[in-house]
Every structure is written in structure tokens, then in C-alpha cells.
Amino acid sequence: DSSLLEYEAKAMRYIRAELKPHFVLLTGDNNAEAAPSADPQHPESVGVRQQRFLKAFLAEHLKTPYVLVTADNWMEGFDQVFGPHQYSFDCGGLHFVLLDPDRIYHGSLSGPEYEGLSVFEKSTWDWIRQDLERHRQTPTIVALHEPICPPTFLDAPPLRALVEHNSNVVAVLQGHLHVDMDRRCNGIAYLVAPALGKLPAKAMKWVQVY
């Protein structure tokens, strides 16, 4: 809807002009709008066109550096447009680990009735453990769409146990619930971002790290 897109564009202009963050994190459920196919002779999937629309929208209105995690909605085409959906990087003296479950439990299941059945593959668990170990001297922030505190998917409890076992992890940034929520447990801040375009929150979170 055009009014919602204009609201989001206005928010992005405010971010870059007033807040001026090092980068913006989009915590998933990012976009349902689809761009037209780049080549009508070779139609693209709706998912790829949705991701292309989002990328162009961010380039036009946000312009500030950003990272994003995919989610349980609008996942198709993410890798083709934005690249890997699990990776880590350093910024401002912090280490960031961006995660996304690999599959829905038992793989063949799909649909809203199976929400919350997401899990990580063994290879991903190995990568997460190794990445946290390699950066154990660096304050680390984990980001993903579905919260691990409060738990919202099958592998949330073991992931929470893993991050709380690593004293370098200082915060977990989360989305999915569309509400503003902060929890502190065992030295970790678990922050849930509200939804920028969804009522009643219609807001964002500004996180300052010292």
C-alpha cells in the first residue's frame, strides 16, 4: 500500500538524517511488494521480485549501510538478491553474528500451522560454535528473526544455552513478534524490535552500544 511505503520511506529518511547509525539491522518479515520481472522473456519468481523491490527501496530511501536477516515470511529469493543468510562481521569494536534457521522440522512441512518448527542443521551449529569461539575476546551481538528469549522456535532453547555459555555475547537482537520487548538474563540483553509498518507499534529500535 502506497501510504505504508511512504511512511517507511519517511522513517528511513529520518534514520539517515537524524540518527546517523553505523548501520541499520532489519530483523525480518521485510517485504511483500514485488518488482516487475527484470526481463519479461525470462519471468522471475515472486520471491526474487520481492527481494529486488526491497533492495531497490532501501537503496533509494535508506542509503545508510544496512544488514538484514531473513525470516519465516518472504524468504524465497533472499540468497539470490542479498547473498548468504548466515554470516558474521565486525563493526565498531563489536562482532556480529547473523543467523537464520536452515529448515522447518522434517523439511516437508510448510504453512502457518507449522510456525515455530524451525531448526539449524548440524553444520550450522558447528559454524556458530566455531565463530563464537574465534571471537571470544570480542563483545559479540547475535541477530536473528525468531526470538530465542522468549523462545519462539524449536531450536531456540539450545541456541540460548549456547550464547549464554559464551561470555563474549552481550546481546541478542530479534524480531518476529512485532512488539517492543526487552529482557535481561545471565548478562545478556535480549531485545525484540517492534514492527516499523505494523500497528499498533509502528516503530523501530535505536540501540546505542558503549
Side-chain angles (χ1 to χ4, degrees), residues 11-105:
M12 291 177 183
R13 292 193 294 269
Y14 173 79
I15 289 171
R16 74 171 191 257
E18 301 295 332
L19 301 183
K20 301 176 182 177
H22 284 87
F23 67 87
V24 174
L25 168 69
L26 286 80
T27 54
D29 288 349
N30 295 314
N31 175 52
E33 299 286 336
S37 289
D39 181 357
Q41 302 302 315
H42 300 88
E44 299 169 301
S45 69
V46 172
V48 169
R49 291 191 289 115
Q50 288 173 328
Q51 305 297 349
R52 283 203 303 101
F53 180 96
L54 175 61
K55 190 171 186 177
F57 190 82
L58 294 171
E60 179 182 359
H61 299 290
L62 181 59
K63 300 180 182 178
T64 299
Y66 66 86
V67 295
L68 64 169
V69 291
T70 186
D72 56 334
N73 296 312
W74 307 310
M75 299 177 292
E76 183 192 2
F78 184 92
D79 289 5
Q80 289 173 251
V81 176
F82 289 105
H85 62 134
Q86 299 183 96
Y87 61 98
S88 63
F89 64 95
D90 295 326
C91 179
L94 300 169
H95 183 64
F96 291 83
V97 182
L98 272 58
L99 300 177
D100 177 49
D102 296 297
R103 62 185 173 90
I104 294 174
Y105 188 62

Side-chain angles (χ1 to χ4, degrees), residues 3-4 22 38 43 86 102 113 144 151:
S3 62
L4 178 56
H22 284 87
Q86 299 183 96
D102 296 297
E113 66 271 31
L144 73 170

